[in-house]
């Protein structure tokens, strides 16, 4: 959240044990990987960086690639 996001967005994993951490992969609408992060906290604030405005798919999985969830992320223009 928030949706749409501007300068930063939050990945929140409530009620999920963080032992071992989780991998977050962000893909553009064409499926190309544009960012990968290792998450070690239930709530992580990520900065947009060089990502352009558009729709992205956010996937979070465990180390053994068991998918925890996928979500759509919309990045808006920054004024």
């Amino acid at each position: 959240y928030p949706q749409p996001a501007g300068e930063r967005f939050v990945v929140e994993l409530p009620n999920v044990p963080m032992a071992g951490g989780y991998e977050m992969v962000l893909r553009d609408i064409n499926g190309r990987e544009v960012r990968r992060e290792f998450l070690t906290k239930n709530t992580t604030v990520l900065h947009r960086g060089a990502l352009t405005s558009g729709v992205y798919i956010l996937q979070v999985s465990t180390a053994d690639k068991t998918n925890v969830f996928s979500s759509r992320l919309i990045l808006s223009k920054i004024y």
Side-chain angles (χ1 to χ4, degrees):
Y1 61 85
Q3 289 281 9
E7 287 285 336
R8 59 190 174 156
F9 55 96
V10 178
V11 177
E12 191 169 52
L13 303 171
N15 304 317
V16 175
M18 294 307 292
Y22 290 85
E23 183 176 65
M24 180 214 66
V25 176
L26 194 61
R27 298 182 186 280
D28 68 14
I29 199 68
N30 296 313
R32 289 185 299 254
E33 182 179 317
V34 295
R35 190 161 177 184
R36 183 178 295 262
E37 298 277 340
F38 190 71
L39 308 178
T40 58
K41 299 177 184 175
N42 288 88
T43 302
T44 304
V45 177
L46 298 166
H47 293 274
R48 166 186 196 139
L51 295 173
T52 60
S53 298
V55 178
Y56 295 86
I57 303 301
L58 178 84
Q59 297 174 308
V60 177
S61 60
T62 60
D64 64 358
K65 303 299 182 200
T66 303
N67 198 21
V68 174
F69 78 88
S70 292
S71 180
R72 183 176 58 167
L73 173 66
I74 301 170
L75 295 179
S76 64
K77 291 182 180 180
I78 301 172
Y79 297 99

